[in-house]
Every structure is written in C-alpha cells, then in structure tokens.
Amino acid sequence: MSTNEVTIIGTGPAGLTAAIYAARAALNPVVYAGVQHGGQLTTTTEVENFPGFEHGILGPKLMTDMTAQAERFGTKINYEEITKVDFSSQPLKLWAGDHLIESKTVIIATGATAKTLGLKSESKLMGRGLSTCATCDGFFYRNKRVVVAGGGDSAMEEANYLSKICSEVILIHRRNDFRASKIMAERARANPKIKIMTPWIVEDTISDETGLTGLKLKHAETGETKNLETTSLFMAIGHKPNSDLFKPWVDTDSHGYIKTTNHTATKTPGVFAAGDIADPLFKQAITAAGLGCQAAIQASKFLEGH
Ligand SMILES: Cc1cc2nc3c(=O)[nH]c(=O)nc-3n(C[C@H](O)[C@H](O)[C@H](O)COP(=O)(O)OP(=O)(O)OC[C@H]3O[C@@H](n4cnc5c(N)ncnc54)[C@H](O)[C@@H]3O)c2cc1C
C-alpha cells in the first residue's frame, strides 16, 4: 500500500484550500469529503463577504469552483467518510469503513456544525430567512426586524451584532434565565434595540414563496401561543465541532474545538487542524480558507524535515 504525503479530511473552504496549496506543492493530496462535500456553504444561498466576487456568489457555486480548482492541480477527492484514525505512530492511519489509508501528514478540516432548533422547515428555509450566522447573513436584513433564538453567549453576541444593522432585534429564549455570561447578558439587556422575550419557544415557522414570513411561538409556562411577524430567524445555540474521532490524538477545548499551537499544529507531529474545527471565534469561510493555506504549508515543511 502506498503512503500518502498529505491526507485532508473535509472539503469545506479549509480542506479545499489546503488541497490547492498541497497540490501546487506537488504533494499529491488525497481528500476525503465526508457526508457534506463542499461543507457548510453548500447549505446557503448568497455569499457576499468572500473576497473576489463583487456581486457575491452562491455558496454551492463557490464550493464547486473550489473543488474544480483543487482537482485541476491533481487533488484526488474521495467521497467517503473517515470513520476511524490511529495517529499513534508514523505512518498515520485512517480508515474509511474497512479501507485503510496511510499518510505521512493529515490535515483535519472537518468543520463545526451549527446546532439548530430542529424546526420542520429548516432545510427548506435555510438561507431564505433561517440562518445560523449573523456575520454571514445579517446584512441581508438591514433595517428590518430580526429574531434571535438562544440564551448563551453566542445568542447575546449575535443579537448585539445585529442591533447595529437591523431596526429591531427580538431575542427569544425558552427560559427566563440566560446561560450567557453576566456581562454579555447585561449588554444585551441594556441595548435599546434588543427586545427580550422569555420564556418563549419557537415552535414553527410561517412562510410563503419568498421565504420566512413569521414564527409560531409558545409561552413555556402558560402555553399561550402567538405569531410573530419576521423575515429572519437567527438560531444562535452554538456549534458542535466534528472532532470526536480525533480526541485521543489532539487536545480540545471544553466545547470540542481542536487546540492548535504554532498556527495549525496539533499535539501529534504531522497532524494539523484548519478551519472551523480549530476556530471557536471567527467561523467564516475566509478564515477557514486562510487556516487551510497555513496547514498545507506547515504539512509541506513537516515533510521536508522528515
Ligand atoms: C447557512 C450558513 C451560511 C453561511 N454563510 C457564510 C457566509 O456568507 N460567509 C462566510 O464567510 N461564512 C459563512 N458561513 C460559515 C462558513 O460556511 C464556515 O465558516 C466554513 O464553511 C467553515 O469551513 P470548514 O472548511 O472549516 O468546514 P465546513 O465547511 O464545515 O466543512 C467540513 C467538511 O468536513 C467534512 N467532514 C466532517 N467529518 C468528516 C469525516 N469524518 N470524514 C470526512 N469528511 C468529514 C464535511 O463533509 C465537510 O466537507 C455560513 C455557514 C452556514 C451554516
């Protein structure tokens, strides 16, 4: 069995950017796409903040183009999921089901999945009123009333961010108390553009052919129901980093994000982490791509030294 120079797990902006750099450095990267080839951006419509596209670009189109760019330089993409790894010795070992892969370096770019409320219409309305990212989608709702659901720091941050762009932010939480840190919750409470509704639950969406038009709410204590008119709901209940598989071989923070030192290096020599999986803070396509670039260059330097 031949040993890969670089194996990349994930085909979001981080994985594909790493592939472009590794392929152009003649490292013949082998990429595993997992269940969501193209990553999170395949679930959205307009991406207006990725540089190079004056009028924006559709998320799926951006990822198709990134894939083609990586393939043009010889990247091999496998549409399989990595199900097990053993990084205890060189060569590093990975499995896609029964299929064993050996590699001198691995770039983990498996992303962090946004948690959602589990509403029936989520897949239909994502990018058409439903969002999990205020930095990404807030601008589409400038000067409009928006709703944020959640009670942790992410929700407070999203609400504060949106209050600078939107006319009114309604922050809905199922409990009276917020899980958020005191300072973040107080900042949200003191913000005159944020109206807090607790304890209310978002039960369902109302929509027409244009997308979301309102929400069906239920009071968590009295059971009272009402409809709220809005064209956007930001679900801000955190992310789940896809790092479980790698935990024995990398350090993670309390939420599961991979901790890196010296840019993208993990505690295991030859194993690098890039993109949302290692970035609890920014979680943007451009930052993921930047980390993918760094990981590929660091993998290349590691190979030169070995
Ligand atoms: C609805 C939505 C809209 C967004 N809009 C914007 C925007 O406008 N602008 C912006 O900058 N950002 C936006 N973002 C955020 C952006 O999508 C992410 O920051 C970015 O995709 C992170 O890239 P990534 O490569 O780290 O991971 P991801 O895009 O999450 O990709 C992860 C990849 O890893 C793969 N994977 C996971 N586990 C395995 C495994 N075990 N084996 C093999 N493969 C695996 C997945 O299949 C996927 O290919 C948006 C996010 C969402 C959800």
PDB file of all heavy atoms in Angstrom, residues 257-286:
ATOM      1  N   TYR A 257     -13.506  22.145  20.330  1.00  0.00           N
ATOM      2  CA  TYR A 257     -12.670  22.713  19.255  1.00  0.00           C
ATOM      3  C   TYR A 257     -11.231  22.230  19.439  1.00  0.00           C
ATOM      4  O   TYR A 257     -10.725  22.191  20.573  1.00  0.00           O
ATOM      5  CB  TYR A 257     -12.679  24.249  19.303  1.00  0.00           C
ATOM      6  CG  TYR A 257     -13.992  24.828  18.862  1.00  0.00           C
ATOM      7  CD1 TYR A 257     -14.965  25.176  19.792  1.00  0.00           C
ATOM      8  CD2 TYR A 257     -14.272  25.006  17.510  1.00  0.00           C
ATOM      9  CE1 TYR A 257     -16.193  25.695  19.390  1.00  0.00           C
ATOM     10  CE2 TYR A 257     -15.500  25.529  17.105  1.00  0.00           C
ATOM     11  CZ  TYR A 257     -16.451  25.864  18.054  1.00  0.00           C
ATOM     12  OH  TYR A 257     -17.655  26.370  17.645  1.00  0.00           O
ATOM     13  N   ILE A 258     -10.564  21.871  18.340  1.00  0.00           N
ATOM     14  CA  ILE A 258      -9.184  21.391  18.436  1.00  0.00           C
ATOM     15  C   ILE A 258      -8.269  22.561  18.766  1.00  0.00           C
ATOM     16  O   ILE A 258      -8.339  23.617  18.141  1.00  0.00           O
ATOM     17  CB  ILE A 258      -8.755  20.701  17.120  1.00  0.00           C
ATOM     18  CG1 ILE A 258      -9.609  19.442  16.887  1.00  0.00           C
ATOM     19  CG2 ILE A 258      -7.273  20.354  17.136  1.00  0.00           C
ATOM     20  CD1 ILE A 258      -9.309  18.686  15.612  1.00  0.00           C
ATOM     21  N   LYS A 259      -7.417  22.330  19.775  1.00  0.00           N
ATOM     22  CA  LYS A 259      -6.453  23.371  20.162  1.00  0.00           C
ATOM     23  C   LYS A 259      -5.200  23.199  19.321  1.00  0.00           C
ATOM     24  O   LYS A 259      -4.670  22.086  19.214  1.00  0.00           O
ATOM     25  CB  LYS A 259      -6.092  23.199  21.634  1.00  0.00           C
ATOM     26  CG  LYS A 259      -7.149  23.634  22.603  1.00  0.00           C
ATOM     27  CD  LYS A 259      -6.494  23.613  23.973  1.00  0.00           C
ATOM     28  CE  LYS A 259      -7.462  23.774  25.092  1.00  0.00           C
ATOM     29  NZ  LYS A 259      -6.825  23.476  26.378  1.00  0.00           N
ATOM     30  N   THR A 260      -4.736  24.293  18.753  1.00  0.00           N
ATOM     31  CA  THR A 260      -3.512  24.236  17.956  1.00  0.00           C
ATOM     32  C   THR A 260      -2.456  25.144  18.584  1.00  0.00           C
ATOM     33  O   THR A 260      -2.785  26.083  19.302  1.00  0.00           O
ATOM     34  CB  THR A 260      -3.782  24.693  16.513  1.00  0.00           C
ATOM     35  OG1 THR A 260      -4.417  25.971  16.549  1.00  0.00           O
ATOM     36  CG2 THR A 260      -4.659  23.708  15.769  1.00  0.00           C
ATOM     37  N   THR A 261      -1.202  24.814  18.281  1.00  0.00           N
ATOM     38  CA  THR A 261      -0.106  25.698  18.694  1.00  0.00           C
ATOM     39  C   THR A 261       0.682  25.964  17.418  1.00  0.00           C
ATOM     40  O   THR A 261       0.568  25.190  16.459  1.00  0.00           O
ATOM     41  CB  THR A 261       0.819  25.023  19.716  1.00  0.00           C
ATOM     42  OG1 THR A 261       1.200  23.756  19.193  1.00  0.00           O
ATOM     43  CG2 THR A 261       0.140  24.859  21.057  1.00  0.00           C
ATOM     44  N   ASN A 262       1.488  27.011  17.419  1.00  0.00           N
ATOM     45  CA  ASN A 262       2.259  27.317  16.223  1.00  0.00           C
ATOM     46  C   ASN A 262       1.349  27.245  14.984  1.00  0.00           C
ATOM     47  O   ASN A 262       1.537  26.426  14.103  1.00  0.00           O
ATOM     48  CB  ASN A 262       3.463  26.352  16.107  1.00  0.00           C
ATOM     49  CG  ASN A 262       4.309  26.655  14.895  1.00  0.00           C
ATOM     50  OD1 ASN A 262       4.241  27.757  14.356  1.00  0.00           O
ATOM     51  ND2 ASN A 262       5.086  25.677  14.446  1.00  0.00           N
ATOM     52  N   HIS A 263       0.337  28.076  14.943  1.00  0.00           N
ATOM     53  CA  HIS A 263      -0.645  28.156  13.860  1.00  0.00           C
ATOM     54  C   HIS A 263      -1.554  26.928  13.813  1.00  0.00           C
ATOM     55  O   HIS A 263      -2.490  26.882  14.591  1.00  0.00           O
ATOM     56  CB  HIS A 263       0.041  28.435  12.518  1.00  0.00           C
ATOM     57  CG  HIS A 263       0.882  29.672  12.572  1.00  0.00           C
ATOM     58  ND1 HIS A 263       0.338  30.926  12.621  1.00  0.00           N
ATOM     59  CD2 HIS A 263       2.231  29.824  12.651  1.00  0.00           C
ATOM     60  CE1 HIS A 263       1.308  31.816  12.717  1.00  0.00           C
ATOM     61  NE2 HIS A 263       2.467  31.181  12.744  1.00  0.00           N
ATOM     62  N   THR A 264      -1.267  25.927  12.962  1.00  0.00           N
ATOM     63  CA  THR A 264      -2.253  24.847  12.813  1.00  0.00           C
ATOM     64  C   THR A 264      -1.769  23.503  13.354  1.00  0.00           C
ATOM     65  O   THR A 264      -2.415  22.483  13.120  1.00  0.00           O
ATOM     66  CB  THR A 264      -2.645  24.664  11.325  1.00  0.00           C
ATOM     67  OG1 THR A 264      -1.482  24.235  10.594  1.00  0.00           O
ATOM     68  CG2 THR A 264      -3.184  25.948  10.719  1.00  0.00           C
ATOM     69  N   ALA A 265      -0.640  23.489  14.053  1.00  0.00           N
ATOM     70  CA  ALA A 265      -0.098  22.209  14.545  1.00  0.00           C
ATOM     71  C   ALA A 265      -0.909  21.703  15.737  1.00  0.00           C
ATOM     72  O   ALA A 265      -1.324  22.488  16.600  1.00  0.00           O
ATOM     73  CB  ALA A 265       1.360  22.390  14.949  1.00  0.00           C
ATOM     74  N   THR A 266      -1.145  20.398  15.782  1.00  0.00           N
ATOM     75  CA  THR A 266      -1.772  19.783  16.956  1.00  0.00           C
ATOM     76  C   THR A 266      -0.658  19.144  17.792  1.00  0.00           C
ATOM     77  O   THR A 266       0.512  19.202  17.418  1.00  0.00           O
ATOM     78  CB  THR A 266      -2.786  18.694  16.550  1.00  0.00           C
ATOM     79  OG1 THR A 266      -2.048  17.597  15.995  1.00  0.00           O
ATOM     80  CG2 THR A 266      -3.798  19.215  15.546  1.00  0.00           C
ATOM     81  N   LYS A 267      -1.052  18.458  18.859  1.00  0.00           N
ATOM     82  CA  LYS A 267      -0.005  17.869  19.705  1.00  0.00           C
ATOM     83  C   LYS A 267       0.646  16.641  19.045  1.00  0.00           C
ATOM     84  O   LYS A 267       1.668  16.169  19.505  1.00  0.00           O
ATOM     85  CB  LYS A 267      -0.559  17.522  21.085  1.00  0.00           C
ATOM     86  CG  LYS A 267      -1.517  16.351  21.114  1.00  0.00           C
ATOM     87  CD  LYS A 267      -1.871  16.011  22.559  1.00  0.00           C
ATOM     88  CE  LYS A 267      -2.823  14.833  22.609  1.00  0.00           C
ATOM     89  NZ  LYS A 267      -3.321  14.545  23.932  1.00  0.00           N
ATOM     90  N   THR A 268       0.038  16.126  17.978  1.00  0.00           N
ATOM     91  CA  THR A 268       0.629  14.970  17.289  1.00  0.00           C
ATOM     92  C   THR A 268       1.425  15.438  16.075  1.00  0.00           C
ATOM     93  O   THR A 268       0.859  16.082  15.183  1.00  0.00           O
ATOM     94  CB  THR A 268      -0.484  13.985  16.834  1.00  0.00           C
ATOM     95  OG1 THR A 268      -1.212  13.582  17.985  1.00  0.00           O
ATOM     96  CG2 THR A 268       0.094  12.766  16.141  1.00  0.00           C
ATOM     97  N   PRO A 269       2.731  15.125  16.031  1.00  0.00           N
ATOM     98  CA  PRO A 269       3.543  15.558  14.885  1.00  0.00           C
ATOM     99  C   PRO A 269       2.946  15.069  13.565  1.00  0.00           C
ATOM    100  O   PRO A 269       2.555  13.898  13.440  1.00  0.00           O
ATOM    101  CB  PRO A 269       4.908  14.904  15.149  1.00  0.00           C
ATOM    102  CG  PRO A 269       4.936  14.669  16.624  1.00  0.00           C
ATOM    103  CD  PRO A 269       3.519  14.396  17.031  1.00  0.00           C
ATOM    104  N   GLY A 270       2.845  15.975  12.609  1.00  0.00           N
ATOM    105  CA  GLY A 270       2.316  15.608  11.285  1.00  0.00           C
ATOM    106  C   GLY A 270       0.807  15.771  11.175  1.00  0.00           C
ATOM    107  O   GLY A 270       0.248  15.624  10.090  1.00  0.00           O
ATOM    108  N   VAL A 271       0.148  16.073  12.285  1.00  0.00           N
ATOM    109  CA  VAL A 271      -1.316  16.253  12.245  1.00  0.00           C
ATOM    110  C   VAL A 271      -1.637  17.739  12.457  1.00  0.00           C
ATOM    111  O   VAL A 271      -1.223  18.335  13.462  1.00  0.00           O
ATOM    112  CB  VAL A 271      -2.030  15.392  13.318  1.00  0.00           C
ATOM    113  CG1 VAL A 271      -3.538  15.642  13.298  1.00  0.00           C
ATOM    114  CG2 VAL A 271      -1.734  13.917  13.082  1.00  0.00           C
ATOM    115  N   PHE A 272      -2.349  18.312  11.504  1.00  0.00           N
ATOM    116  CA  PHE A 272      -2.672  19.737  11.542  1.00  0.00           C
ATOM    117  C   PHE A 272      -4.196  19.895  11.537  1.00  0.00           C
ATOM    118  O   PHE A 272      -4.902  19.007  11.047  1.00  0.00           O
ATOM    119  CB  PHE A 272      -2.045  20.445  10.328  1.00  0.00           C
ATOM    120  CG  PHE A 272      -0.549  20.238  10.276  1.00  0.00           C
ATOM    121  CD1 PHE A 272      -0.003  19.136   9.612  1.00  0.00           C
ATOM    122  CD2 PHE A 272       0.315  21.103  10.932  1.00  0.00           C
ATOM    123  CE1 PHE A 272       1.376  18.912   9.606  1.00  0.00           C
ATOM    124  CE2 PHE A 272       1.690  20.893  10.935  1.00  0.00           C
ATOM    125  CZ  PHE A 272       2.222  19.800  10.265  1.00  0.00           C
ATOM    126  N   ALA A 273      -4.674  21.007  12.068  1.00  0.00           N
ATOM    127  CA  ALA A 273      -6.125  21.243  12.081  1.00  0.00           C
ATOM    128  C   ALA A 273      -6.401  22.635  11.529  1.00  0.00           C
ATOM    129  O   ALA A 273      -5.717  23.597  11.886  1.00  0.00           O
ATOM    130  CB  ALA A 273      -6.665  21.117  13.504  1.00  0.00           C
ATOM    131  N   ALA A 274      -7.395  22.729  10.653  1.00  0.00           N
ATOM    132  CA  ALA A 274      -7.664  24.004   9.969  1.00  0.00           C
ATOM    133  C   ALA A 274      -9.154  24.233   9.823  1.00  0.00           C
ATOM    134  O   ALA A 274      -9.942  23.303   9.666  1.00  0.00           O
ATOM    135  CB  ALA A 274      -7.018  23.976   8.589  1.00  0.00           C
ATOM    136  N   GLY A 275      -9.538  25.505   9.872  1.00  0.00           N
ATOM    137  CA  GLY A 275     -10.939  25.864   9.640  1.00  0.00           C
ATOM    138  C   GLY A 275     -11.728  25.896  10.941  1.00  0.00           C
ATOM    139  O   GLY A 275     -11.164  25.966  12.044  1.00  0.00           O
ATOM    140  N   ASP A 276     -13.043  25.825  10.806  1.00  0.00           N
ATOM    141  CA  ASP A 276     -13.936  25.971  11.965  1.00  0.00           C
ATOM    142  C   ASP A 276     -13.629  24.965  13.074  1.00  0.00           C
ATOM    143  O   ASP A 276     -13.889  25.235  14.245  1.00  0.00           O
ATOM    144  CB  ASP A 276     -15.399  25.779  11.529  1.00  0.00           C
ATOM    145  CG  ASP A 276     -15.948  27.000  10.792  1.00  0.00           C
ATOM    146  OD1 ASP A 276     -15.153  27.892  10.446  1.00  0.00           O
ATOM    147  OD2 ASP A 276     -17.171  27.038  10.553  1.00  0.00           O
ATOM    148  N   ILE A 277     -13.092  23.817  12.722  1.00  0.00           N
ATOM    149  CA  ILE A 277     -12.790  22.786  13.730  1.00  0.00           C
ATOM    150  C   ILE A 277     -11.795  23.292  14.776  1.00  0.00           C
ATOM    151  O   ILE A 277     -11.762  22.804  15.901  1.00  0.00           O
ATOM    152  CB  ILE A 277     -12.252  21.494  13.045  1.00  0.00           C
ATOM    153  CG1 ILE A 277     -12.110  20.331  14.038  1.00  0.00           C
ATOM    154  CG2 ILE A 277     -10.906  21.708  12.358  1.00  0.00           C
ATOM    155  CD1 ILE A 277     -13.364  19.827  14.578  1.00  0.00           C
ATOM    156  N   ALA A 278     -10.989  24.287  14.381  1.00  0.00           N
ATOM    157  CA  ALA A 278      -9.954  24.797  15.283  1.00  0.00           C
ATOM    158  C   ALA A 278     -10.166  26.286  15.554  1.00  0.00           C
ATOM    159  O   ALA A 278      -9.232  26.971  15.975  1.00  0.00           O
ATOM    160  CB  ALA A 278      -8.581  24.559  14.651  1.00  0.00           C
ATOM    161  N   ASP A 279     -11.381  26.764  15.319  1.00  0.00           N
ATOM    162  CA  ASP A 279     -11.597  28.213  15.399  1.00  0.00           C
ATOM    163  C   ASP A 279     -12.928  28.529  16.083  1.00  0.00           C
ATOM    164  O   ASP A 279     -13.956  28.704  15.424  1.00  0.00           O
ATOM    165  CB  ASP A 279     -11.583  28.778  13.970  1.00  0.00           C
ATOM    166  CG  ASP A 279     -11.916  30.268  13.957  1.00  0.00           C
ATOM    167  OD1 ASP A 279     -11.935  30.893  15.032  1.00  0.00           O
ATOM    168  OD2 ASP A 279     -12.152  30.792  12.851  1.00  0.00           O
ATOM    169  N   PRO A 280     -12.912  28.608  17.412  1.00  0.00           N
ATOM    170  CA  PRO A 280     -14.180  28.890  18.101  1.00  0.00           C
ATOM    171  C   PRO A 280     -14.655  30.320  17.895  1.00  0.00           C
ATOM    172  O   PRO A 280     -15.809  30.644  18.177  1.00  0.00           O
ATOM    173  CB  PRO A 280     -13.837  28.651  19.580  1.00  0.00           C
ATOM    174  CG  PRO A 280     -12.355  28.654  19.676  1.00  0.00           C
ATOM    175  CD  PRO A 280     -11.782  28.399  18.316  1.00  0.00           C
ATOM    176  N   LEU A 281     -13.798  31.182  17.368  1.00  0.00           N
ATOM    177  CA  LEU A 281     -14.071  32.614  17.373  1.00  0.00           C
ATOM    178  C   LEU A 281     -14.709  33.160  16.095  1.00  0.00           C
ATOM    179  O   LEU A 281     -15.736  33.813  16.118  1.00  0.00           O
ATOM    180  CB  LEU A 281     -12.739  33.336  17.614  1.00  0.00           C
ATOM    181  CG  LEU A 281     -12.765  34.595  18.464  1.00  0.00           C
ATOM    182  CD1 LEU A 281     -13.449  34.313  19.780  1.00  0.00           C
ATOM    183  CD2 LEU A 281     -11.338  35.087  18.688  1.00  0.00           C
ATOM    184  N   PHE A 282     -14.082  32.903  14.940  1.00  0.00           N
ATOM    185  CA  PHE A 282     -14.485  33.624  13.731  1.00  0.00           C
ATOM    186  C   PHE A 282     -15.463  32.826  12.868  1.00  0.00           C
ATOM    187  O   PHE A 282     -16.439  33.368  12.371  1.00  0.00           O
ATOM    188  CB  PHE A 282     -13.251  34.012  12.908  1.00  0.00           C
ATOM    189  CG  PHE A 282     -12.281  34.853  13.697  1.00  0.00           C
ATOM    190  CD1 PHE A 282     -11.063  34.345  14.105  1.00  0.00           C
ATOM    191  CD2 PHE A 282     -12.624  36.144  14.065  1.00  0.00           C
ATOM    192  CE1 PHE A 282     -10.180  35.116  14.852  1.00  0.00           C
ATOM    193  CE2 PHE A 282     -11.750  36.925  14.812  1.00  0.00           C
ATOM    194  CZ  PHE A 282     -10.526  36.408  15.213  1.00  0.00           C
ATOM    195  N   LYS A 283     -15.144  31.556  12.611  1.00  0.00           N
ATOM    196  CA  LYS A 283     -16.034  30.660  11.857  1.00  0.00           C
ATOM    197  C   LYS A 283     -16.578  31.290  10.566  1.00  0.00           C
ATOM    198  O   LYS A 283     -17.778  31.375  10.342  1.00  0.00           O
ATOM    199  CB  LYS A 283     -17.166  30.173  12.749  1.00  0.00           C
ATOM    200  CG  LYS A 283     -16.648  29.283  13.865  1.00  0.00           C
ATOM    201  CD  LYS A 283     -17.721  28.442  14.484  1.00  0.00           C
ATOM    202  CE  LYS A 283     -18.523  29.166  15.500  1.00  0.00           C
ATOM    203  NZ  LYS A 283     -17.904  29.263  16.816  1.00  0.00           N
ATOM    204  N   GLN A 284     -15.648  31.761   9.735  1.00  0.00           N
ATOM    205  CA  GLN A 284     -16.010  32.331   8.441  1.00  0.00           C
ATOM    206  C   GLN A 284     -15.290  31.550   7.329  1.00  0.00           C
ATOM    207  O   GLN A 284     -14.237  30.940   7.573  1.00  0.00           O
ATOM    208  CB  GLN A 284     -15.575  33.801   8.376  1.00  0.00           C
ATOM    209  CG  GLN A 284     -16.348  34.695   9.310  1.00  0.00           C
ATOM    210  CD  GLN A 284     -17.809  34.806   8.890  1.00  0.00           C
ATOM    211  OE1 GLN A 284     -18.136  35.378   7.868  1.00  0.00           O
ATOM    212  NE2 GLN A 284     -18.691  34.219   9.674  1.00  0.00           N
ATOM    213  N   ALA A 285     -15.828  31.618   6.131  1.00  0.00           N
ATOM    214  CA  ALA A 285     -15.215  30.894   5.012  1.00  0.00           C
ATOM    215  C   ALA A 285     -13.792  31.398   4.758  1.00  0.00           C
ATOM    216  O   ALA A 285     -12.878  30.609   4.512  1.00  0.00           O
ATOM    217  CB  ALA A 285     -16.074  31.062   3.766  1.00  0.00           C
ATOM    218  N   ILE A 286     -13.603  32.699   4.839  1.00  0.00           N
ATOM    219  CA  ILE A 286     -12.285  33.251   4.523  1.00  0.00           C
ATOM    220  C   ILE A 286     -11.262  32.884   5.597  1.00  0.00           C
ATOM    221  O   ILE A 286     -10.102  32.597   5.275  1.00  0.00           O
ATOM    222  CB  ILE A 286     -12.370  34.788   4.292  1.00  0.00           C
ATOM    223  CG1 ILE A 286     -11.061  35.362   3.785  1.00  0.00           C
ATOM    224  CG2 ILE A 286     -12.801  35.530   5.545  1.00  0.00           C
ATOM    225  CD1 ILE A 286     -10.691  34.942   2.414  1.00  0.00           C
TER     226      ILE A 286
END
